[in-house]
Amino acid sequence: MEASATSKLLVSDIASSVDHVPSNYVRPISDRPNLSEIETSGDSIPMIDLQELHGPNRADVIYQVAHACASYGFFQIKNHGVPEKTIERMMTVAREFFRQPESERVKHYSADTKKTTRLSTSFNVGSEKFSNWRDFLRLHCLPIEDFISEWPSSPVSFREVTAEYATSVRALVLVLLEAISESLGLAKDSVSNTLGKHGQHMALNYYPPCPQPDLTFGLPGHKDPNLITVLLQDEVSGLQVFKDGNWIAVHPVPNTFIVNMGDQMQVISNDKYKSVLHRAVVNSDKERISIPTFYCPSLDAVVGPQQELINEEEESPAVYRSFIYAEYYEKFWDRALATESCIDLFKASKT
């Protein structure tokens, strides 16, 4: 069985025909999910109501954002302005995409991490030691007109629905960036202005049911290399966030998004806000779909700590050197989700 199973490109095409996890997916004992030890009660991540941002309580919301970014690196948002219908259609078309016959899906397959539209599996099949129980379609989506013609044309509504979703989420991100910028004590356009022409990518992640979910990951613990990630998940749990030495399960709440800081926010904020380890676990009976939007600087943007947050006299020197985002992004993919963060390679040299 295994020989034919491993000749498949995508995990979704072996999942239904195996009753155990093929050996390349099996993690060493010290690096398994330990599903029984996960914190599921108590300390979840903060929920912020964005409706209040546009009224007299703006300062209070900004304070909540500051607290969430500094203490968790993650928060949930409701009343975020992305229409329920837009979200529903996006989730439906993602599910339809992954339910297409293998022959239709693999047309988009590529292991080349530089391709701007590609279907692949695991994380980086070229450089990783263990495979992850995930297939994903990755899309660049800013500006949409530069990339939409590369996107899948099947299902028929895919391009239209995804473009509408990407546009709507981008508007939300720009609101969030203003709030985050203010929460750092900066002018509200400060963070946005450091991003050059801006970049926006999306992933449609598909995690099929797994016969032995305690042996493998959908994605192992990692930090996001980008600026900010806005995650849409279906109703199946799988996301876990690392906080105070424990993995906390973040259960899906309908019509909310999960927002997390990426490495570039840690750099720009000069370590005030941290990019946080998170991972995806799988389960034996339900498929799971999650759709992260990764917002980032454009590849030619120069990223470094914001000048106003550096103060040599008051013990807050620049923690990072300035660099071109392309240099960072390339290192991230080459390292195949090495647990230690890529960010340490960009620290300012101590004089």
Side-chain angles (χ1 to χ4, degrees):
M1 179 67 244
E2 199 152 313
S4 64
T6 45
S7 64
K8 296 283 190 188
L9 287 172
L10 301 167
V11 70
S12 41
D13 297 315
I14 62 172
S16 53
S17 61
V18 296
D19 54 10
H20 63 279
V21 169
S23 54
N24 52 312
Y25 290 91
V26 177
R27 296 258 159 191
I29 290 175
S30 61
D31 183 28
R32 288 182 188 170
N34 263 337
L35 297 172
S36 57
E37 288 175 20
I38 301 306
E39 298 274 331
T40 48
S41 61
D43 197 12
S44 192
I45 60 175
M47 175 76 77
I48 299 178
D49 186 343
L50 292 190
Q51 204 160 12
E52 303 281 311
L53 257 187
H54 311 294
N57 295 338
R58 184 176 174 90
D60 181 45
V61 183
I62 300 294
Y63 173 79
Q64 291 174 45
V65 167
H67 172 71
C69 292
S71 305
Y72 291 83
F74 261 83
F75 54 92
Q76 303 173 80
I77 51 174
K78 61 182 183 181
N79 294 320
H80 42 64
V82 178
E84 207 170 313
K85 203 84 201 124
T86 303
I87 290 173
E88 218 172 278
R89 291 175 67 197
M90 184 67 235
M91 197 46 90
T92 301
V93 87
R95 209 171 291 281
E96 285 170 357
F97 175 82
F98 287 109
R99 285 190 176 160
Q100 294 179 116
E102 179 182 12
S103 57
E104 185 58 48
R105 281 175 285 125
V106 297
K107 289 177 184 171
H108 303 282
Y109 185 85
S110 172
D112 177 3
T113 58
K114 302 240 181 340
K115 276 195 77 160
T116 49
T117 299
R118 68 191 185 99
L119 176 73
S120 195
T121 192
S122 192
F123 174 72
N124 184 354
V125 286
S127 62
E128 65 200 1
K129 218 157 135 189
F130 301 102
S131 300
N132 302 298
W133 203 260
R134 165 185 90 132
D135 292 335
F136 64 94
L137 176 67
R138 203 172 165 107
L139 311 169
H140 284 226
C141 30
L142 190 69
I144 284 175
E145 57 277 12
D146 287 7
F147 300 108
I148 193 167
S149 61
E150 307 174 349
W151 294 357
S153 52
S154 170
V156 176
S157 62
F158 186 90
R159 291 179 180 177
E160 181 202 340
V161 168
T162 306
E164 183 193 332
Y165 177 81
T167 303
S168 209
V169 170
R170 180 177 187 225
L172 166 62
V173 168
L174 296 176
V175 168
L176 287 169
L177 291 185
E178 289 191 347
I180 290 167
S181 203
E182 276 184 53
S183 76
L184 285 164
L186 303 167
K188 66 180 185 182
D189 57 357
S190 266
V191 172
S192 178
N193 288 344
T194 60
L195 308 179
K197 295 185 290 294
H198 294 212
Q200 181 183 349
H201 309 166
M202 271 171 75
L204 281 56
N205 291 322
Y206 180 76
Y207 302 99
C210 175
Q212 296 168 296
D214 47 343
L215 298 184
T216 190
F217 285 107
L219 271 179
H222 66 284
K223 297 178 180 182
D224 291 351
N226 49 292
L227 178 77
I228 185 175
T229 302
V230 175
L231 178 75
L232 173 65
Q233 15 177 24
D234 67 7
E235 64 291 343
V236 179
S237 292
L239 174 67
Q240 298 179 347
V241 176
F242 198 62
K243 168 112 170 66
D244 302 331
N246 295 310
W247 288 101
I248 301 171
V250 181
H251 298 298
V253 179
N255 288 309
T256 63
F257 288 105
I258 290 171
V259 179
N260 68 277
M261 304 300 107
D263 292 349
Q264 306 313 304
M265 193 69 83
Q266 184 166 332
V267 170
I268 287 170
S269 72
N270 205 34
D271 262 0
K272 280 190 164 54
Y273 294 167
K274 297 286 203 295
S275 180
V276 175
L277 274 175
H278 53 287
R279 66 187 191 183
V281 296
V282 289
N283 72 82
S284 54
D285 50 318
K286 291 190 171 117
E287 64 180 18
R288 172 174 178 257
I289 290 178
S290 74
I291 305 178
T293 292
F294 304 108
Y295 209 80
C296 46
S298 49
L299 288 172
D300 57 358
V302 177
V303 182
Q306 283 281 17
Q307 228 25 68
E308 299 95 311
L309 302 176
I310 301 170
N311 189 328
E312 301 293 342
E313 288 76 55
E314 288 180 24
E315 301 297 294
S316 49
V319 183
Y320 304 97
R321 62 177 176 85
S322 292
F323 51 85
I324 292 167
Y325 184 57
E327 185 191 346
Y328 197 99
Y329 192 65
E330 206 160 298
K331 276 209 170 69
F332 172 80
W333 282 98
D334 289 348
R335 290 158 54 84
L337 289 189
T339 335
E340 69 282 20
S341 182
C342 195
I343 205 167
D344 295 335
L345 306 170
F346 292 86
K347 291 214 149 140
S349 49
K350 304 261 186 290
T351 43

